[in-house]
Amino acid sequence: MACSQLVFFLTLSCLLVAAVEIQKPRGVPLTNRHFYEESKPFTCLDGTKTISFDRVNDDYCDCKDGSDEPGTSACPNGNFFCANTGYKAQFIPSSRVNDGICDCCDTTDEYNSGAVCENTCKELGRKERESLEKIREITREGFLLKQQLIEEAKKSREEKQRTLGELQESKKGKEEQVEALRTVKETAEQPEKEARERHLKAWEEQKEGLRVEKEKAKMAEVFLELDDDADGLVSVSELQTHVELDPDSDGTLSDTEAQELLGGSTQVDTAAFQNTVWNNIKDKYKSESQHEGLAPPPEESRDPSLDNESDSHYPDEDGGEEEEDDDDEEDDEDHEDDDKAPPVGRPSEKAEEEEPAMPPYDEETQALIDAAQKARDDFNEAEKGLREVEDQIKSLEKEISFDFGPSAEFSYLYNQCYELTTGEYIYRLCPFNRVSQKSKYGGSETNLGSWGLWAGPEDKKYSVMKYEHGTGCWQGPNRSTVVKLTCGKETTVVSTTEPSRCEYLMEFTTPAICQEPQHPDLFPHDEF
């Protein structure tokens, strides 16, 4: 029985000793323990002074760097090491040692303050491990997705390279086809051009003949109109009945002026009128019907009330003007468009005969035109097809040459867009293209920047995207956006902020940024 009790007390003593952390000296990590050997004097870590070891942690600061008081609050620049077994080791300012507040989860900073502290390192470590395990699980799944993305990107790139080769071969064939059809088109257009020119020339000659005939008829009509006595001659006196022919516009066509218009003769026959007189008067001459249109209305038909404008309104008894009748207002409305009609006596443009339309092409010319048009259509269609292939080649070459990461893991983001809706705005990120912002309540879209470059640090270049040269701010710089990429199983915009005016920060999760998870010791310690 006595032996059993002895074993029990020895075991309990060992457990109690194990529960109490013994640090010599207190507040020093294991990596620096060799500087603190009780068997020899202590030299300040900055090398400025050497003191006896019994002055270490004596609550008096001897070293300028505070290295002689790692376990007390004597030195304002000292640091106390918390071993925090089971959790993360840490340094705290020595001013917090024995201040009545538990800063180290293992309670070692309050060894002489009387504060009652509970060792929470084990619980904190458990929670931290759970949190880190969740992150590690996300990273692990994200990394597996990244491997799939890399494999898909590799296949997609090979397929695009194959398609590009086919398009380039197709381009050669289409270029040859375009050149062949160009020759066919040019060959067909030459006879078409000549036939069109012949047709047009014949039409111009026909029109000229019609014009001459029309001019002769007009001249004959005017001659008969001027020949008042129908003697087959136009005399000076007969010409003087048309004062609009007065050359000096003084309102009178004198004998001399009329004779000059008649080519120096007192009278002319039809032949002389055509050869000498007609060209001198045809632009000014007005027919009898035009003269009648310009004549004032007969005296008996004139409204006397219009002779004096001042009589158009009469003052009423109150001295004001009489109100106009409603009928007058309606009459005004009826004649609202009168000013659009040609004035009385002035010939309307519509009265002039329109130029006759060109007659249709003959069958031979039309056949040449149809053949040339078909050649043009075939050529244009082939040229359109060539342009489409060239555009596809250009687009593929651009995509293939893009920097999508070390293993093209970001290529799946190309031509995709992702949105985030906040309280007021809808943010839209189109990787490798642009970032935009639009109000939820309507309005136009604001460009927050176009793709610029990968802007992460040297060892993590592909962790940050930079979008530049967006819409300019009012009296400020052009908008720009930095996109920080974080590991995640989903591809989504997580948040958007504006830390500086017109400079936006966006967080974007994607499996493409995930790295292979490591398995280091979560809480390495140098204290036991």
Side-chain angles (χ1 to χ4, degrees):
M1 181 68 178
C3 182
S4 298
Q5 289 177 338
L6 179 61
V7 171
F8 172 76
F9 284 115
L10 287 173
T11 303
L12 180 62
S13 298
C14 290
L15 290 172
L16 289 172
V17 169
V20 177
E21 182 177 354
I22 301 174
Q23 292 183 330
K24 292 183 179 180
R26 194 185 301 274
V28 176
L30 183 61
T31 52
N32 286 354
R33 191 63 57 81
H34 62 281
F35 294 116
Y36 298 85
E37 294 184 12
E38 296 183 44
S39 59
K40 57 183 180 181
F42 174 74
T43 299
C44 300
L45 297 185
D46 62 4
T48 57
K49 183 187 291 188
T50 299
I51 58 175
S52 60
F53 194 83
D54 59 0
R55 293 167 67 178
V56 173
N57 280 344
D58 65 348
D59 208 20
Y60 183 84
C61 192
D62 295 292
C63 298
K64 290 181 180 180
D65 62 358
S67 58
D68 65 311
E69 298 297 318
T72 75
S73 59
C75 297
N77 57 341
N79 289 301
F80 181 86
F81 177 75
C82 306
N84 291 342
T85 304
Y87 189 51
K88 294 181 286 189
Q90 69 179 126
F91 282 94
I92 62 171
S94 60
S95 60
R96 297 184 184 180
V97 174
N98 290 325
D99 63 352
I101 299 174
C102 301
D103 296 292
C104 301
C105 67
D106 63 3
T107 76
T108 54
D109 60 313
E110 298 300 318
Y111 61 88
N112 197 30
S113 67
V116 178
C117 298
E118 181 182 355
N119 190 324
T120 59
C121 291
K122 184 177 180 181
E123 180 62 18
L124 290 173
R126 183 186 66 79
K127 291 180 179 179
E128 183 74 6
R129 278 187 289 273
E130 287 178 356
S131 176
L132 290 175
E133 183 56 37
K134 288 180 181 178
I135 294 173
R136 192 160 40 241
E137 180 62 24
I138 291 173
T139 302
R140 183 164 45 246
E141 292 182 21
F143 183 72
L144 290 175
L145 290 172
K146 177 181 179 179
Q147 298 306 109
Q148 295 177 20
L149 292 174
I150 291 173
E151 188 61 29
E152 289 170 5
K154 182 180 178 181
K155 292 179 181 178
S156 177
R157 183 181 176 85
E158 290 173 353
E159 180 62 30
K160 287 182 173 64
Q161 290 281 17
R162 188 161 47 250
T163 302
L164 180 60
E166 292 171 356
L167 286 171
Q168 288 170 337
E169 283 299 315
S170 173
K171 178 186 174 184
K172 292 178 183 177
K174 288 187 177 296
E175 285 174 337
E176 293 173 357
Q177 182 187 23
V178 165
E179 289 309 310
L181 289 173
R182 188 194 306 278
T183 301
V184 172
K185 177 179 78 75
E186 291 173 352
T187 301
E189 284 177 335
Q190 185 58 36
E192 176 205 32
K193 179 183 176 184
E194 293 170 356
R196 282 180 182 272
E197 288 174 350
R198 284 194 301 270
H199 183 86
L200 182 59
K201 183 179 179 182
W203 170 234
E204 292 295 335
E205 291 173 352
Q206 185 180 347
K207 280 199 302 181
E208 180 60 20
L210 291 172
R211 187 193 66 77
V212 170
E213 290 301 320
K214 184 178 178 182
E215 184 79 6
K216 285 181 179 180
K218 179 66 175 175
M219 183 274 300
E221 179 185 341
V222 171
F223 183 87
L224 292 174
E225 193 174 272
L226 285 172
D227 186 11
D228 292 331
D229 56 6
D231 62 351
L233 298 171
V234 173
S235 63
V236 168
S237 60
E238 288 172 331
L239 198 61
Q240 286 176 321
T241 60
H242 287 264
V243 294
E244 76 273 8
L245 301 177
D246 177 21
D248 58 9
S249 302
D250 62 355
T252 303
L253 183 61
S254 66
D255 292 348
T256 303
E257 290 172 334
Q259 192 170 348
E260 286 179 359
L261 289 174
L262 293 175
S265 302
T266 57
Q267 58 185 9
V268 293
D269 59 12
T270 303
F273 184 83
Q274 178 181 345
N275 296 330
T276 306
V277 181
W278 177 238
N279 285 334
N280 295 333
I281 69 170
K282 64 181 180 180
D283 293 331
K284 289 185 176 183
Y285 181 82
K286 288 183 174 59
S287 65
E288 295 298 333
S289 60
Q290 289 175 311
H291 276 290
E292 289 174 4
L294 290 171
E299 193 67 31
E300 61 272 12
S301 67
R302 292 174 62 84
D303 185 352
S305 65
L306 299 176
D307 290 342
N308 192 343
E309 241 181 81
S310 61
D311 294 337
S312 60
H313 298 283
Y314 298 95
D316 59 18
E317 293 179 0
D318 297 329
E321 291 185 354
E322 288 185 349
E323 294 183 1
E324 296 181 358
D325 293 337
D326 291 341
D327 292 341
D328 294 337
E329 290 179 5
E330 290 177 5
D331 191 54
D332 289 342
E333 290 176 6
D334 292 340
H335 296 284
E336 228 175 74
D337 294 329
D338 282 358
D339 58 338
K340 297 179 183 177
V344 176
R346 184 184 303 167
S348 170
E349 291 180 5
K350 291 183 180 178
E352 297 179 2
E353 291 184 14
E354 294 182 1
E355 183 176 318
M358 184 173 66
Y361 296 108
D362 58 75
E363 289 185 7
E364 183 181 354
T365 300
Q366 188 61 53
L368 291 171
I369 292 172
D370 293 342
Q373 187 58 50
K374 183 180 185 305
R376 278 190 291 271
D377 292 342
D378 292 344
F379 171 77
N380 291 337
E381 188 66 26
E383 198 173 42
K384 179 183 176 184
L386 175 59
R387 285 197 301 269
E388 289 174 353
V389 169
E390 288 174 338
D391 289 342
Q392 292 175 33
I393 290 173
K394 184 177 179 181
S395 178
L396 271 177
E397 287 178 339
K398 178 183 177 183
E399 186 174 350
I400 290 171
S401 65
F402 228 101
D403 183 1
F404 289 125
S407 302
E409 57 267 38
F410 296 99
S411 62
Y412 82 103
L413 299 174
Y414 195 70
N415 288 333
Q416 301 296 318
C417 291
Y418 305 88
E419 290 186 351
L420 172 69
T421 301
T422 63
E424 187 176 356
Y425 295 105
I426 299 172
Y427 292 92
R428 184 177 176 85
L429 168 63
C430 301
F432 310 110
N433 188 357
R434 67 197 294 263
V435 182
S436 63
Q437 172 197 65
K438 186 176 182 180
S439 173
K440 288 169 60 177
Y441 311 105
S444 59
E445 194 175 63
T446 301
N447 182 1
L448 302 186
S450 298
W451 168 250
L453 70 164
W454 292 104
E458 187 175 350
D459 58 335
K460 294 182 179 180
K461 174 184 174 182
Y462 299 98
S463 63
V464 177
M465 290 175 162
K466 185 68 182 290
Y467 294 79
E468 305 168 307
H469 309 301
T471 304
C473 284
W474 173 252
Q475 295 183 339
N478 288 344
R479 289 173 172 83
S480 62
T481 302
V482 169
V483 179
K484 289 189 175 180
L485 277 61
T486 56
C487 174
K489 295 184 291 183
E490 305 293 332
T491 303
T492 182
V493 179
V494 177
S495 65
T496 302
T497 56
E498 188 178 2
S500 300
R501 182 168 178 258
C502 307
E503 294 181 0
Y504 298 82
L505 177 62
M506 186 174 281
E507 185 177 346
F508 183 63
T509 63
T510 167
I513 195 67
C514 295
Q515 301 299 316
E516 186 173 8
Q518 304 298 319
H519 298 279
D521 184 1
L522 288 178
F523 308 120
H525 289 274
D526 56 9
E527 300 292 331
F528 300 96

